[in-house]
């Protein structure tokens, strides 16, 4: 792949779409949501001409030492770098960030850990292409703002590198297909790093479900409920880009933290499949009010206008008839929650606070603290890695996530999360946007597996 070919893959549409990242919030209108017209009632989902998906989950040849290049080493990218420095068999070869000071800081962590200084990229917003073309890397991991996830993954895969991206992997249906297309065309992993799949309560629920303790799982409720007003208005970090999305998109913008663990428990892409969804949003008031309360007369942030409904509610039906409620709620005062309710024919787990009721085991009609069951049902992976993950981000789950990806690459095994999971979980963003704009009409979820979901094996009980 020549340099010009590779750059050409960042086509005009993509560069328009990522405009807000480069030009700041003033250019927020440069973002092009998948379904821009609120009254558009055509939603034909073109899918690229692809052959069948692989008959068995994709695995690449084992990699002895995984050479990694990071793109975007801000809050979350920096956390991944720190984790990788504590995992055996990893070499951090390059890093790319348009924030020079941060780039240097992260490089110092690498050299302090005794590794060679990683090559530095980031002279402009598409310098990751040069990194992918120049460096000998096995894996490119992006933790950039959302706009850049797909361009980075595509540049990685077409330059013969595996890709991993922060969440959501993509936010248009076309881009979800694009990730699948490139992963299949280039025989590469394209993993969405959904760390909440590895949190201890979520993994305990998965373990209990696999043991049949909760019976047949029929329904789940989940979401991302996090008061982000201060973060969205900050003059650094996510404040530089996340609020822009609230100006142009009314959707369930960040579904994967809640949905990832629920999808695993329900065997999505491994025995079941999201079939269709409906979505509706409340009025948008939280960010407007915050701006008015926190900035003086005449400040530009006071005159910003948002379209993102403060609370989005999306309901998904699976092919096997199961139901999932997904909430997105980031603009109002409230304590943090991902809800995480999983209900089966024999019992229920309810998160925030975490509690369980299992028929015949718990006192009648009463909850038990989840910790009462931890000794018996703690996921084996947590038992394996509890000590090593101490002190890592988000209570240790981020380390376990990174550890597992490296292990799968080193052993040549299928990754826990694959490109089909990335696409199925992320596509909830554009489809909810369409449904909100169309009086909550149902919209089909594309089958990115093209029927393979009925054959691919269940996710196993993972070990370190
Ligand atoms: N899994 C989680 O728990 C979790 C938590 C926070 C953020 N995230 C995700 O991580 C990603 C980053 O979020 P964050 O909080 O770290 O944001 P951030 O703003 O702190 O970091 C983003 C970094 O990317 C850099 N950047 C921006 N455009 C770039 C480009 N074109 N090329 C190279 N570098 C570029 C910025 O300079 C910055 O250092 C987002 O996708 C977000 O949704 C996930």
């Amino acid at each position: 792949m020549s340099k010009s070919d590779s750059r050409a893959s960042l086509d005009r549409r993509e560069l328009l779409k990522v405009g807000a990242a480069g030009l700041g919030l003033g250019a927020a209108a440069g973002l092009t949501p998948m379904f821009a017209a609120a009254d558009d009632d055509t939603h034909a989902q073109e899918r690229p001409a692809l052959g069948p998906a692989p008959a068995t989950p994709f695995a690449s040849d084992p990699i002895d030492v995984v050479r990694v290049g990071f793109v975007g080493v801000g809050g979350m990218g920096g956390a991944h770098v720190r984790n990788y420095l504590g995992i055996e068999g990893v070499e951090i070869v390059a890093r790319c960030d348009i924030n020079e000071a941060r780039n240097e800081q992260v490089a110092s962590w690498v050299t302090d850990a005794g590794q060679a200084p990683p090559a530095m990229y980031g002279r402009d917003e598409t310098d990751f292409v040069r990194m992918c073309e120049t460096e000998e890397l096995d894996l490119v991991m992006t933790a950039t703002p959302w706009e850049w996830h797909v361009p980075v993954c595509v540049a990685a895969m077409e330059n013969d590198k595996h890709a991993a991206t922060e969440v959501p992997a993509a936010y248009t249906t076309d881009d979800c297909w694009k990730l699948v297309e490139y992963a299949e065309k280039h025989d590469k992993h394209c993993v969405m790093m959904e760390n909440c799949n590895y949190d201890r309560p979520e993994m305990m629920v998965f373990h209990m479900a696999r043991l049949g303790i909760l019976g047949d799982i029929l329904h789940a409720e989940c979401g991302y409920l996090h008061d982000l007003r201060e973060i969205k208005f900050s003059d650094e970090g996510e404040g530089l880009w996340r609020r822009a999305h609230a100006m142009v998109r009314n959707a369930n913008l960040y579904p994967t933290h809640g949905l990832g663990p629920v999808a695993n428990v329900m065997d999505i892409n491994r025995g079941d499949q999201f079939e269709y969804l409906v979505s509706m949003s409340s009025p948008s008031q939280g960010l407007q009010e915050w701006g008015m309360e926190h900035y003086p007369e005449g400040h530009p942030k006071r005159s910003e206008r948002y379209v993102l409904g403060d609370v989005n509610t999306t309901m998904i039906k699976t092919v096997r008839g199961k139901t999932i409620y997904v909430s997105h709620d980031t603009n109002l005062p409230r304590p943090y929650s991902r809800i995480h309710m999983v209900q089966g024919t024999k019992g229920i787990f309810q998160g925030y606070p975490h509690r369980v009721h299992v028929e015949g085991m718990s006192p009648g009609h009463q909850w038990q603290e989840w910790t009462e069951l931890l000794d018996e049902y703690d996921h084996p992976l947590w038992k394996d890695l509890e000590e090593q993950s101490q002190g890592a981000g988000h209570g240790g789950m981020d380390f376990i996530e990174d550890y597992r990806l490296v292990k799968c690459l080193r052993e040549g095994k299928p990754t826990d999360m694959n490109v089909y999971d990335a696409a199925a979980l992320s596509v909830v963003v554009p489809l909810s946007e369409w449904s909100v704009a169309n009086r909550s009409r149902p919209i089909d979820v594309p089958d990115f597996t093209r029927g393979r979901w009925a054959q691919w094996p269940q996710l196993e009980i993972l070990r370190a």
Side-chain angles (χ1 to χ4, degrees), residues 21 71-77 96-99 102 124-126 128 143-146 148-149 166-168 193-195 237-238 241-242 254 257 394 397-398:
V71 185
V73 289
M76 200 58 206
C96 173
D97 199 298
I98 51 171
N99 179 333
R102 180 65 175 175
D124 61 36
E125 287 181 312
T126 56
F128 57 82
T144 47
W146 300 336
W148 294 104
H149 291 178
E166 262 304 332
V167 298
M193 302 301 289
E194 185 34 81
N195 51 348
E238 296 195 358
W241 55 270
R242 196 165 180 151
Y254 204 61
H257 284 340
H394 298 111
M397 66 183 177
D398 297 1

Side-chain angles (χ1 to χ4, degrees), residues 158-463:
E158 60 184 8
N159 284 287
D160 205 29
K161 280 102 179 142
H162 299 298
T165 173
E166 262 304 332
V167 298
Y171 58 85
T172 71
T173 307
D174 281 354
D175 273 352
C176 290
W177 275 116
K178 190 170 200 170
L179 295 178
V180 170
E181 183 189 351
Y182 275 73
E184 290 184 358
K185 190 159 83 182
H186 296 278
D187 276 336
K188 291 290 152 209
H189 290 291
C190 180
V191 173
M192 185 177 73
M193 302 301 289
E194 185 34 81
N195 51 348
C196 299
N197 287 358
Y198 298 87
D199 206 1
R200 197 168 200 160
E202 277 85 341
M203 290 210 91
M204 182 177 107
V205 173
F206 179 86
H207 190 208
M208 290 177 76
R210 275 290 181 279
L211 295 174
I213 308 295
L214 300 174
D216 293 336
I217 307 299
L218 303 180
H219 174 75
E221 298 180 9
C222 60
Y224 185 66
L225 298 80
H226 189 182
D227 177 1
L228 292 179
R229 291 172 300 168
E230 201 171 335
I231 289 173
K232 287 188 189 181
F233 276 104
S234 167
D235 289 324
E236 56 182 20
E238 296 195 358
L240 302 178
W241 55 270
R242 196 165 180 151
R243 197 166 78 260
H245 289 266
M247 295 177 185
V248 290
R249 302 167 54 221
N250 186 7
N252 203 306
L253 290 187
Y254 204 61
T256 71
H257 284 340
L259 202 48
V262 161
N264 280 350
V265 165
M266 288 194 175
D267 298 324
I268 298 302
N269 290 341
R270 297 164 180 80
D272 202 351
Q273 177 76 15
F274 297 144
E275 188 173 22
Y276 64 89
L277 63 76
V278 298
S279 187
M280 62 177 68
S281 288
S282 77
S284 177
Q285 265 177 247
L287 295 179
Q288 279 86 349
E289 289 184 14
W290 176 274
M292 297 305 275
E293 281 164 19
H294 289 79
Y295 296 97
E297 204 68 50
H299 194 288
K301 284 181 182 167
R302 278 174 75 103
S303 52
E304 289 176 359
R305 292 292 170 263
Y306 309 97
V307 299
L308 175 65
D310 291 336
V311 181
N312 173 274
T313 304
T314 298
M315 290 287 306
I316 306 174
K317 184 88 169 165
T318 76
V319 173
R320 304 255 186 248
K322 299 172 182 188
T323 46
I324 308 170
Y325 164 105
V326 194
S327 178
H328 180 257
D329 175 349
T330 60
N331 297 343
L332 300 173
R334 58 154 305 124
Y336 182 89
S337 172
R338 296 196 299 271
I339 306 176
H340 195 223
M341 188 273 255
V342 176
Q343 189 159 24
T345 50
K346 302 225 176 308
I348 178 169
F349 183 96
Q350 171 72 66
Y352 300 89
H354 306 307
R355 55 224 138 114
V356 189
H357 175 85
V358 177
E359 196 166 50
M361 184 168 89
S362 311
H365 301 273
Q366 285 177 45
W367 294 110
Q368 281 182 280
E369 289 285 327
W370 77 295
T371 44
E372 287 176 41
L373 282 76
L374 196 57
D375 267 355
E376 192 165 358
Y377 297 117
D378 198 12
H379 193 290
L381 188 60
W382 262 93
K383 290 189 176 144
D384 295 343
L385 291 175
E386 180 174 7
E387 219 177 288
Q388 251 185 293
S389 67
Q390 290 287 313
H394 298 111
M397 66 183 177
D398 297 1
F399 175 85
I400 296 180
E401 163 187 62
D402 285 326
Y403 176 98
R404 278 292 308 168
L405 176 57
V406 169
K407 182 178 166 84
C408 292
L409 292 176
R410 294 190 75 200
E411 293 183 357
K413 299 254 173 68
T415 51
D416 305 344
M417 303 174 280
N418 58 35
V419 72
Y420 309 98
D421 303 320
L425 297 174
S426 302
V427 82
V428 170
V429 179
L431 300 187
S432 63
E433 183 174 12
W434 183 88
S435 182
V436 166
N438 287 279
R439 294 180 60 81
S440 308
R441 282 165 52 192
I443 183 162
D444 287 349
V445 179
D447 177 9
F448 295 102
T449 78
R450 283 145 289 148
R452 295 288 195 205
W453 61 267
Q455 302 154 24
W456 283 339
Q458 279 187 315
L459 193 61
E460 59 193 34
I461 303 288
L462 307 167
R463 299 300 304 246

